[in-house]
Amino acid sequence: MKKLLLLVLAFTTVCSVNAQIKTPQPSPFSKVEQKVGLTDVTLEYSRPGVKGRTVYGDLVPYGKIWRTGANARTKITFSTDVTIDGQNLKAGSYSIFTIPNTDTWDVIFYNDGKESGTPKEIDAQYLAAKTTIKTYAMEYNVETFTMGFGNLSNNSASLDFIWEKTYLTLPFEVPTDKAVMASIEKVMNGPGANDYYAAAVYYFNSGKDINQAKTWIEKAMSMSESPRFWQLRQQSLIYAKLGDKKAAIATAKKSLAGAEKAGNADYVKMNKESIAEWGAM
């Protein structure tokens, strides 16, 4: 009887856990992803509603730090550095806090890493950027707090805030032109040493045209002021596969010297074994 009672209690507990009621959040979570030029921007926030209340100056007091939404902190993530009001904001994630006032808002990008809670005051060591933007009155009422991106161009966009009858917009710039110009310059200048090296190693490892691998590895070495021992090791293997044992041994000896200087026992061992295999005295 006691065992039966325990089984009934256990079954009741499991059913109780599995039967938990799920209800929607009063302030639903939202995630907005936007490409600005070549920069990925992600905004994560919760969206409270007016629900018949007076928002600014009451629900959201003037002159006090607001988490800019509800529930967890509002978070924005940039894949590249961006510029806000002349201030450089490094790539990464930031909490967005605001201090609403009647005619302006202070917008604060904060990087203390916490996911919830509003600081009583802003700590300067965590302040990544701060700016002030103007408020605009709207004739119509927006029930749900809304944030998003507007005014999109290759080099800039705006982070927009809309709620009740208030609208604000915060411009920011992204380094699209700088990135594109750097890419153009690299491509127009032709492949670099690392490109030739990677291509040569791929051809060697894939059993493709070994003569082409030799051409590329020699090009890579000629473009490098001080080829590293692991690069020389690959060059020696390519020479060996071509049957040029003399060049393979000479290059392996250079790789060996570099590996010994770097204290890399694995490459020291591999080079010594290859040199012996290829017939060096």
Side-chain angles (χ1 to χ4, degrees), residues 19-32:
Q20 287 180 348
I21 298 173
K22 294 182 179 180
T23 59
Q25 288 286 330
S27 301
F29 173 78
S30 181
K31 184 175 183 179
V32 183

Side-chain angles (χ1 to χ4, degrees), residues 190-206:
N194 289 336
D195 299 314
Y196 281 114
Y197 175 76
V201 172
Y202 178 78
Y203 260 49
F204 172 74
N205 290 333
S206 301

Side-chain angles (χ1 to χ4, degrees), residues 5-20:
L5 179 60
L6 290 173
L7 287 172
V8 170
L9 288 172
F11 177 76
T12 303
T13 301
V14 170
C15 288
S16 176
V17 171
N18 290 336
Q20 287 180 348

Side-chain angles (χ1 to χ4, degrees), residues 229-230 232-234 236-237 248-249 251-260 264-278:
F229 60 85
W230 62 83
L232 292 165
R233 167 72 180 167
Q234 292 295 328
S236 71
L237 294 175
I249 291 168
T251 307
K253 286 181 176 179
K254 292 179 183 179
S255 177
L256 174 61
E260 288 176 336
N264 191 302
D266 290 337
Y267 273 82
V268 168
K269 182 175 183 294
M270 287 189 294
N271 279 305
K272 284 184 175 180
E273 290 175 348
S274 293
I275 291 169
E277 178 187 344
W278 296 332

Side-chain angles (χ1 to χ4, degrees), residues 11-229:
F11 177 76
T12 303
T13 301
V14 170
C15 288
S16 176
V17 171
N18 290 336
Q20 287 180 348
I21 298 173
K22 294 182 179 180
T23 59
Q25 288 286 330
S27 301
F29 173 78
S30 181
K31 184 175 183 179
V32 183
E33 296 179 319
Q34 180 65 57
K35 175 80 77 173
V36 184
L38 298 175
T39 300
D40 294 312
V41 188
T42 303
L43 178 67
E44 299 170 82
Y45 73 111
S46 293
R47 307 181 62 189
V50 176
K51 300 177 182 177
R53 302 171 292 184
T54 298
V55 173
Y56 299 115
D58 188 2
L59 179 63
V60 178
Y62 289 132
K64 294 192 176 185
I65 301 170
W66 181 40
R67 70 182 63 193
T68 320
N71 303 328
R73 293 181 175 184
T74 290
K75 184 174 74 172
I76 193 166
T77 302
F78 301 103
S79 66
T80 69
D81 294 2
V82 300
T83 302
I84 296 175
D85 191 20
Q87 303 167 69
N88 184 53
L89 198 61
K90 294 291 185 182
S93 296
Y94 300 90
S95 299
I96 298 178
F97 294 117
T98 48
I99 303 177
N101 292 291
T102 54
D103 299 319
T104 62
W105 281 20
D106 291 336
V107 182
I108 298 158
F109 294 86
Y110 211 59
N111 62 1
D112 67 344
K114 293 181 180 178
E115 295 182 359
S116 62
T118 303
K120 293 182 179 179
E121 58 183 29
I122 298 300
D123 190 331
Q125 68 176 317
Y126 300 128
L127 180 61
K130 180 180 179 181
T131 189
T132 301
I133 56 177
K134 183 180 178 181
T135 63
Y136 295 92
M138 300 187 300
E139 294 183 359
Y140 57 90
N141 185 76
V142 174
E143 171 64 26
T144 307
F145 177 60
T146 302
M147 297 176 67
F149 302 101
N151 302 304
L152 295 170
S153 74
N154 286 339
N155 297 294
S156 64
S158 63
L159 175 61
D160 300 331
F161 309 78
I162 305 174
W163 199 19
E164 201 182 39
K165 292 186 177 181
T166 300
Y167 165 73
L168 304 94
T169 183
L170 173 60
F172 63 91
E173 299 173 357
V174 295
T176 305
D177 186 65
K178 181 180 178 181
V180 171
M181 293 304 296
S183 178
I184 289 173
E185 183 176 352
K186 179 180 179 181
V187 171
M188 295 308 176
N189 285 337
N194 289 336
D195 299 314
Y196 281 114
Y197 175 76
V201 172
Y202 178 78
Y203 260 49
F204 172 74
N205 290 333
S206 301
K208 295 183 180 295
D209 187 347
I210 193 64
N211 288 293
Q212 183 63 73
K214 174 179 179 288
T215 299
W216 282 335
I217 198 75
E218 289 179 345
K219 181 69 174 178
M221 296 301 102
S222 70
M223 297 173 70
S224 304
E225 292 185 10
S226 301
R228 307 304 298 270
F229 60 85

Side-chain angles (χ1 to χ4, degrees), residues 234-251:
Q234 292 295 328
Q235 187 178 22
S236 71
L237 294 175
I238 290 172
Y239 284 146
K241 191 169 183 178
L242 279 164
D244 190 347
K245 298 294 181 65
K246 182 178 179 180
I249 291 168
T251 307

